[in-house]
Amino acid sequence: MRLAARVLLLLVALSVASLLAAYHRAPTAMLLAIGLALVVTIGLWRLISESNAELTRFVAALDRADLSQSFTLSGRGAGFDRLGAAYERALARLREERTRGAVAATFASALADGAPTPLLVLGPGDALTLANKAARRQFGRNSPTVVAALDQYGEAFVDLLRSATPGPSRLGQIVVDGLSQRVVTDTTLIELDGDARRIVAVKIIQAELDSAELAAQIDLVRVLTHEIMNSLTPVTSLAATAKQLLDALDATDHQAIGDAQLAVGALARRAGELERFVETYKGFSEAPILRREPIDIADWLTRTAAIHAATPNITMPITLDIMPALPRLNGDVALLTQVLLNLLKNASEATAATQTPTIALTAELKPHDRIRIAVTDNGPGIPPHLSREVFLPFFTTKPRGSGIGLSFARQIVLLHGGQIEAGNGLPSRIEMVLPTIIE
């Protein structure tokens, strides 16, 4: 209405001025009409400028992403009211979309940051970003920013990351706390700012593999011992009965009777030995219940070394190298002591034939609040191809070994949430890594 009134008034003023000028009459009135036309033109210009100013302010707010502006233009005509209302609706919609986007981004960020699997962002080039808390806990000790900085986790792991491509999960090796472990990676390819980036999920699955393998071994031993005992029990009983019957006869009456007595006696003894052997493995097939308690590592290792030194026929000293101020272990001290005594016994037997036998027991704190305990000796060592087989049930390299000591040790360490590994080459070394109590 304001615009229409001004346009109409301008037309009237111009028309009057034109008529008066055409007939050369009333010059004063003509000047007044021209003046009125100028005033109306200035009013029109101001009206259009106001509208342009509001439009400019709206576009500037969008350009700066400033959604806090207000465009309530009441009192200046219906056109300005509608214009302001349209601007307000547009900004309200943008505010709502921004809020939804911020909530979605916050949720996605929290979801990724709280994921238990480490996420690495690779690219552009060799650049590396630790994308969540799990990645920073696992790889953030030296704040690596390039893939090459992860060489402490093994060359095989670095090569696995560099060759990561979208597709099926890939299995590889990673060195953590000095122990080689199996790792699986999954890769997603994204494009950001025109550069390709790879999001690699890294999951160390050694604990799951060890648990599954141990469960399979226990099931196998349980089945074997059950079946062997079912077959061996009647053999033992019949052998004992046959021996009693033959012992009641006079061996001097016939030479064959004496030979039979010797054979049946040997059979009865061997059946008894097999029965005791199977009974031993029955204990392995039943996982012990842990009675956890805080363990002072220095005191525990010192006492265990003293117990080993007091064992008959043990003469070689043990060198203790224990890092000071270690946190306490959370474990079953009786079972862990038995594990350590088995390892020290094996080391003593391995070095018995050496001229100057040496055994070292070391303990040190590793990253992620884990304790590394190692038994090292100068014996012949474990061949590299047997470094994993020595922990299997029934497997032994000793002429009279039962093949249960290291199997038992591995079972106890895994139950504590740790790992155990035999070192390759010389000096001979078996080390275990156990979680501590976070203090």
Side-chain angles (χ1 to χ4, degrees), residues 313-333:
N313 302 322
I314 297 296
T315 57
M316 64 197 71
I318 297 176
T319 302
L320 291 176
D321 183 9
I322 304 172
M323 180 183 289
L326 288 174
R328 291 177 294 172
L329 279 178
N330 180 27
D332 190 313
V333 66

Side-chain angles (χ1 to χ4, degrees), residues 181-404:
Q181 303 186 47
R182 305 289 281 182
V183 64
V184 65
T185 60
D186 289 280
T187 305
T188 302
L189 185 65
I190 63 171
E191 187 170 325
L192 186 64
D193 296 332
D195 293 318
R197 286 173 170 81
R198 292 169 294 161
I199 301 176
V200 182
V202 178
K203 182 171 178 58
I204 300 174
I205 59 172
Q206 191 64 53
E208 289 83 350
L209 291 177
D210 287 340
S211 298
E213 183 181 346
L214 183 61
Q217 291 174 4
I218 289 175
D219 288 341
L220 175 62
V221 171
R222 185 181 294 114
V223 172
L224 287 176
T225 53
H226 176 74
E227 296 301 324
I228 292 174
M229 286 299 292
N230 284 346
S231 301
L232 191 58
T233 300
V235 173
T236 305
S237 177
L238 290 173
T241 302
K243 186 176 184 303
Q244 291 175 1
L245 293 175
L246 287 173
D247 286 344
L249 300 177
D250 187 358
T252 59
D253 290 346
H254 198 283
Q255 182 62 37
I257 294 177
D259 294 340
Q261 288 177 339
L262 291 174
V264 172
L267 175 62
R269 286 193 303 273
R270 185 54 183 157
E273 292 172 358
L274 289 174
E275 192 170 14
R276 287 192 297 273
F277 173 80
V278 174
E279 286 291 343
T280 301
Y281 275 99
K282 285 179 67 178
F284 174 82
S285 65
E286 299 171 359
I289 298 175
L290 299 184
R291 294 177 174 83
R292 294 181 181 270
E293 60 180 289
I295 302 174
D296 184 299
I297 297 174
D299 178 66
W300 168 55
L301 295 181
T302 303
R303 287 189 292 104
T304 305
I307 294 172
H308 173 74
T311 305
N313 302 322
I314 297 296
T315 57
M316 64 197 71
I318 297 176
T319 302
L320 291 176
D321 183 9
I322 304 172
M323 180 183 289
L326 288 174
R328 291 177 294 172
L329 279 178
N330 180 27
D332 190 313
V333 66
L335 292 175
L336 290 175
T337 299
Q338 185 60 47
V339 168
L340 194 54
L341 288 174
N342 284 344
L343 299 183
L344 293 173
K345 177 176 176 291
N346 288 346
S348 299
E349 294 174 350
T351 57
T354 59
Q355 188 173 1
T356 55
T358 59
I359 300 175
L361 179 57
T362 61
E364 60 179 334
L365 182 64
K366 302 296 288 185
H368 312 301
D369 300 302
R370 295 169 77 82
I371 296 293
R372 173 184 174 271
I373 299 171
V375 176
T376 308
D377 63 71
N378 63 342
I382 299 172
H385 66 282
L386 297 180
S387 59
R388 291 190 60 84
E389 280 76 0
V390 294
F391 295 103
L392 297 176
F394 308 113
F395 184 91
T396 181
T397 58
K398 302 176 185 177
R400 299 182 61 83
S402 65
I404 195 173

Side-chain angles (χ1 to χ4, degrees), residues 214 287-290 292 335 409-418:
L214 183 61
I289 298 175
L290 299 184
R292 294 181 181 270
L335 292 175
R410 181 168 182 260
Q411 181 183 19
I412 298 305
V413 171
L414 292 180
L415 286 175
H416 280 82

